[in-house]
Amino acid sequence: MSDAIKHECGIAVIRLKKPLEFYKEKYGTAFYGVNKMYLMMEKQHNRGQDGAGFASIKLDVAPGERYISRQRSTAQQPIQDIFAEINGRINTLMTANPDKKDDVAWQKSNVPYIGELLLGHVRYGTFGKNSVESVHPFLRQNNWMHRNLIVAGNFNMTNVNKLFNKLVSLGQHPKEQADTITVMEKIGHFLDDEVAKLYKKLKKEGFNKQQASPQIAERLKVAKILRRASKDWDGGYAMAGLLGHGDAFVLRDPAGIRPAYYFENDEVAVVASERPVIQTAFNVPFEEVKELDPGAAVIVKKNGTLTVEQILEPLTRKACSFERIYFSRGSDAEIYKERKMLGRLLMPRVLESIDHDTKNSVFSFIPNTAETSFYGMVEAAQDELNRQKGQKILAAKGDLTEAQLTEILSQRLRTEKIAIKDAKLRTFITEDSSRDDLVAHVYDVTYGVIKPEDKLVIIDDSIVRGTTLKKSIIKMMARLNPAKIIVVSSAPQIRYPDCYGIDMARLEDFIAFRAAIALLKDNGKEDLIDEVYKQCKEQVDLKDKHVKNYVKRIYEPFTQREVSQKIAELLTDDTVKTEVEIIYQTVESLHEACPENLGDWYFTGDYPTNGGHRVVNKAFINFVEGNKERAY
């Protein structure tokens, strides 16, 4: 993606189902779980670079021994920072006690971080302070082992204010209104309630307090707690949690917006945000890693038993299509095929734009996540070139000389690496103000491969703000003096804010929205802006289920091509003398390429939860009023 956006977090949960001695004997180390967690977090590095966190729980420790460890970081390389600290602590203890290198029981009692239950998290902070206090996992502490709760997630709630007020009505006093804290306290409230009820029941059965603890661990119904806690949640989430005594869970939202995959064998139970992470870390085939169904939870009890239980009634499946376009690693077999298809499906419009002149067209991509879509586009272009060769051969009706035939068959599709990202500069571009200053220098171009008669086709996976295109890429492409520049987006026009975990909150940030507003003004239809504003304001006090997305009306007077043409105008200035065309994927083609991931609200405005419609209307109100606050 040429425009930098912060986006989804990544989670990883590991439950070692054997005693630590087993891993020492089979794999040579009792730190097997820590090593695997490091690998899983690194393999999800693409999902977070602002911060990372790790937590572990030791099972069945003696009273007085520490059984929960946690480490979080917002360093420039947070995963490495966390595990440098962990390894430093481990190495210091092992160096001081060389005689204990094979004593797993001593290591479990004395060395922090090694345990049977581990939780990892990588994040992009979507808003607010990027302090270590904002980094998952969050810990809710209690002297009762069962009431200790560790939570981390890939999520955003649209109704955090409502959830906060609900906690207050329950008599709680949350320390802040952040959605993570609010969600954790909601789970914690019902955890406390369930533990108290179980203790009363056990007391009647004749158990004393000490005897009751293992019974509570065995009888605690995690699914019941999750059903009560998540009843009013509105958002996209994959929520992971560990309980102090050793239970663990991962709950997915009922629309399946955020992803979650799991795997188990007789040694481990594992959950992660991405399938190939599990495949790589544990060397298992594609078909053994299962996707968690919407509204369901993976629950691993202290005894190691894994069950999948339906917690919330599933909604229409709206799994995030941006996962397929951009967020997830392209090494997933399904995602790789889908991204290639996204590129292939764009080719008819590209051929129209270049007048089917493949001979005088150069194809490239904006590194590096668009590379897979580029392969699909090139395959489709090659099919067109082969068709053209066949037509020439057939038109000659057998009169071709060997030299002429060789000339026809020797024609090759021209693909070049035109845009080269300067990774050294990219590191420092962390927010809008500094990004605008430096973005012009993020890309270099390859000189000497473009002729004046050439049309340059360059594919990006999505165009959000258009900042990088306008300030860097298009200007640099124009220096090559091609006959035409065609920028192709494998995603449709991003028209509406996301409110489920991606940092796309303000309408005016989107080049497609700015183009639609410009078109309204060009065509004397500014009154529509006021009409939509009034409709949005009239819904402010309505319940979410009654709210409609009136912002759709802003786009209704214009076709996708008209909006694209205006975008091309907005992304060029007087210094660019070359003709520029912008081609976007259609929503219909997106669905064809990604038939199982139909979450397309940022393109269509069709939000999968009621809270989304309130958010988009609030975003429009903010735009009209000049309010720079986020809509959620």
Side-chain angles (χ1 to χ4, degrees), residues 9-14 37 40-41 43-44 47 120 154 238 240 250 258-263 269-279 281-282 289-292 298:
C9 304
I11 57 172
V13 177
I14 299 175
M37 181 55 74
M40 291 182 75
M41 290 174 69
K43 291 299 179 181
Q44 293 185 110
R47 305 184 77 87
N154 170 16
V250 175
R258 298 277 77 92
Y261 298 86
Y262 68 98
F263 162 78
V270 187
V271 188
S273 294
E274 299 190 31
R275 178 190 280 116
V277 171
I278 300 175
Q279 288 182 255
F282 294 91
V289 181
K290 300 174 183 177
E291 183 176 4
L292 182 61
V298 170

Side-chain angles (χ1 to χ4, degrees), residues 1 3-5 322 432 463-467 492-499 502-518 551 554-555 563 567 570-571 584 601-603 607 615-616 619-620 623 630 632:
M1 184 179 292
D3 286 322
I5 64 169
F322 245 119
D432 286 348
I463 302 169
V464 187
R465 303 178 186 91
T467 306
Q493 294 170 0
I494 298 169
R495 298 181 166 194
Y496 306 94
D498 180 76
C499 51
I502 306 169
D503 186 26
M504 298 194 299
R506 289 186 289 265
L507 278 167
E508 59 268 31
D509 285 347
F510 306 139
I511 187 64
F513 179 78
R514 298 201 302 272
I517 294 295
V551 183
I554 296 296
Y555 297 96
V563 176
I567 289 171
L570 295 177
L571 294 183
Y584 281 92
W601 53 92
Y602 9 71
F603 312 125
Y607 287 86
V615 168
V616 67
F620 190 79
F623 161 71
R630 301 173 67 88
Y632 60 91

Side-chain angles (χ1 to χ4, degrees), residues 11 20 22 71 115 118 142 151 184 186 191 217 221 302 319 383 423 438 444 473 504-505 511 518 521 551 566 569 608:
I11 57 172
L20 295 181
F22 170 86
Q71 188 70 29
L118 306 100
N142 194 286
V151 171
M184 181 174 69
K186 192 82 181 290
L191 172 62
K221 292 182 172 62
K302 178 179 178 290
D383 290 344
L438 296 175
D444 291 327
I473 294 170
M504 298 194 299
I511 187 64
K521 294 177 178 179
V551 183
K566 177 54 71 171
E569 287 181 31

Side-chain angles (χ1 to χ4, degrees), residues 219 229 371 409 420:
R219 300 188 193 186
E371 186 173 3
L409 295 177
I420 303 166

Side-chain angles (χ1 to χ4, degrees), residues 562-577:
E562 287 174 323
V563 176
S564 295
Q565 288 168 359
K566 177 54 71 171
I567 289 171
E569 287 181 31
L570 295 177
L571 294 183
T572 55
D573 57 31
D574 294 340
T575 66
V576 177
K577 306 303 181 185

Side-chain angles (χ1 to χ4, degrees), residues 47-83:
R47 305 184 77 87
Q49 296 173 2
D50 286 348
F54 168 95
S56 65
I57 291 178
K58 304 174 189 281
L59 302 184
D60 301 316
V61 301
E65 291 185 4
R66 181 176 177 178
Y67 60 96
I68 295 177
S69 297
R70 182 175 60 147
Q71 188 70 29
R72 298 180 294 174
S73 174
T74 56
Q76 190 172 4
Q77 296 182 313
I79 300 173
Q80 291 87 338
D81 186 53
I82 284 171
F83 285 93

